[in-house]
């Protein structure tokens, strides 16, 4: 039976991706799951992020989903490869789990004239080197400079993203990135939370530097994927419906989530175990 597309994040960030999926692929049904009770993932070990993400993927499969998008860079960096190569063949060979790193790496080089790009993400994403590895496949001449921004997710999750206190941490990480190379002319926000800080980041950017967000890129890539894989597309239900779940408390999720998603939502609690 056709089922919704699963969209997963450690917390709220994946809603910035879901917003674009809904815009570009409005007829599909989506189930969103935020593992808010265990967020943030960005500072957790490889094993922990892998275990949590696998639990989430199993939860989506139990809801009947045949296609799951890890709308979280940290989970994509630390868990996706193992899930695709080790778990899926055993658990559910006909189901698919996709991430956000490859679609972003496929196009990022096109935004840069200097062929020097910056990647800003969580500690987990940056330490995994996933972007450097993926970008080398698509843009071998591209020079990649990375900066972990461990304070940005807590600022965003606590609603401090447009307050003056956030300025210090925005400037600090941008300075650290441009210290690595003053010629960087495109920066990827490689964490699905960061679009909430976009206005502030822009206000500190040197002129001419492009800020690249993932939402539209991931949605465009998924749209092409569904055309190229009709066998998966036909397993996706298409009634334009949305459902939201959180592993934490639904009322506070609803309040925060509307900021990330841009409209009011209703959420339910779920346990993953
Ligand atoms: N939204 C997640 C990402 O894209 C990170 C948030 C977290 O640290 O849990 O990496």
């Amino acid at each position: 039976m056709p089922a919704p597309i699963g969209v997963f994040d450690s917390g709220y960030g994946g809603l910035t991706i879901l917003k674009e999926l809904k815009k570009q692929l409005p007829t599909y049904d989506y189930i969103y799951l935020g593992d808010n009770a265990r967020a943030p993932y960005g500072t957790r070990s490889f094993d922990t992020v892998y275990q949590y993400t696998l639990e989430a993927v199993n939860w989506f499969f139990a809801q009947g989903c045949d296609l799951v998008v890890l709308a979280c860079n940290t989970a994509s960096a630390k868990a996706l490869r193992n899930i695709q190569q080790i778990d899926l063949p055993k658990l559910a060979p006909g189901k698919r789990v996709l991430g956000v790193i490859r679609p972003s790496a496929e196009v990022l080089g096109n935004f840069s004239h200097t062929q020097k790009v910056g990647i800003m993400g969580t500690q987990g994403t940056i330490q995994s080197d996933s972007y450097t590895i993926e970008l080398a496949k698509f843009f071998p001449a591209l020079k990649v400079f990375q900066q972990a921004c461990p304070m940005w997710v807590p600022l965003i999750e606590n609603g401090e993203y447009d307050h003056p206190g956030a300025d210090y941490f925005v400037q600090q990480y941008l300075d650290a990135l441009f210290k690595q190379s003053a010629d960087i002319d495109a920066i990827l926000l490689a964490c699905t939370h960061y679009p909430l800080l976009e206005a502030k980041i822009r206000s500190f950017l040197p002129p001419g530097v492009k800020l690249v967000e993932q939402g539209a890129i991931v949605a465009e890539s998924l749209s092409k994927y569904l055309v190229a894989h009709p066998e998966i597309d036909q397993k996706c239900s298409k009634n334009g419906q949305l459902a939201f779940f959180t592993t934490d408390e639904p009322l506070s999720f609803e309040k925060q989530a509307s900021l990330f998603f841009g409209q009011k939502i209703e959420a339910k609690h779920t346990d993953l175990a």
Side-chain angles (χ1 to χ4, degrees):
M1 213 174 62
I5 297 172
V7 180
F8 175 67
D9 184 49
S10 60
Y12 301 108
L15 293 163
T16 63
I17 302 285
L18 179 60
K19 193 169 150 187
E20 288 295 328
L21 294 179
K22 182 83 188 110
K23 203 151 124 201
Q24 291 192 33
L25 296 162
T27 54
Y28 290 79
D29 298 333
Y30 301 93
I31 298 187
Y32 184 86
L33 172 65
D35 190 9
N36 298 77
R38 302 190 292 194
Y41 279 14
T43 44
R44 294 191 188 274
S45 71
F46 179 95
D47 286 342
T48 304
V49 174
Y50 170 42
Q51 181 205 321
Y52 288 179
T53 307
L54 184 57
E55 282 171 18
V57 166
N58 276 318
W59 180 88
F60 282 112
F61 289 171
Q63 313 304 307
C65 300
D66 290 294
L67 175 60
V68 177
V69 178
L70 302 182
C72 174
N73 288 269
T74 311
S76 300
K78 293 192 161 196
L80 183 61
R81 182 186 291 257
N82 273 9
I83 289 176
Q84 284 177 336
Q85 294 181 355
I86 301 170
D87 302 298
L88 267 188
K90 286 187 296 200
L91 280 173
K95 296 186 188 264
R96 294 289 175 271
V97 180
L98 306 174
V100 288
I101 294 180
R102 192 187 166 105
S104 310
E106 273 176 2
V107 297
L108 185 62
N110 300 333
F111 290 88
S112 172
H113 292 298
T114 60
Q115 289 299 287
K116 291 190 174 133
V117 298
I119 304 292
M120 304 189 92
T122 65
Q123 239 153 24
T125 299
I126 300 306
Q127 277 165 7
S128 76
D129 255 340
S130 302
Y131 273 100
T132 315
I133 295 164
E134 283 300 310
L135 280 162
K137 295 180 193 161
F138 301 106
F139 301 98
L142 198 67
K143 294 233 162 31
V144 183
F145 300 90
Q146 303 196 87
Q147 182 60 43
C149 314
M151 285 303 290
W152 284 6
V153 167
L155 282 171
I156 293 164
E157 292 257 329
N158 289 293
E160 294 290 328
Y161 53 88
D162 58 359
H163 291 175
D167 290 13
Y168 173 81
F169 292 104
V170 169
Q171 194 162 22
Q172 191 189 36
Y173 297 141
L174 283 173
D175 285 353
L177 179 69
F178 284 106
K179 214 181 246 170
Q180 298 179 52
S181 167
D183 296 332
I184 293 167
D185 67 346
I187 295 177
L188 178 71
L189 296 182
C191 170
T192 55
H193 278 66
Y194 295 173
L196 270 87
L197 268 181
E198 188 211 322
K200 210 170 261 301
I201 297 170
R202 273 189 204 285
S203 72
F204 287 100
L205 275 189
V209 177
K210 288 185 203 84
L211 200 58
V212 183
E213 285 184 42
Q214 295 180 300
I217 293 170
V218 171
E220 206 165 304
S221 166
L222 185 67
S223 159
K224 286 186 190 147
Y225 177 89
L226 290 167
V227 171
H229 296 88
E231 75 288 1
I232 302 294
D233 183 67
Q234 72 195 19
K235 293 182 183 172
C236 300
S237 57
K238 300 175 185 77
N239 306 299
Q241 284 176 356
L242 294 167
F244 297 87
F245 290 86
T246 173
T247 55
D248 211 339
E249 203 271 303
L251 282 181
S252 36
F253 180 87
E254 285 172 359
K255 223 160 118 199
Q256 274 286 89
S258 57
L259 293 172
F260 286 78
F261 192 57
Q263 68 186 66
K264 264 179 115 49
I265 62 129
E266 273 179 35
K268 290 195 184 98
H269 171 84
T270 187
D271 289 315
L272 289 187

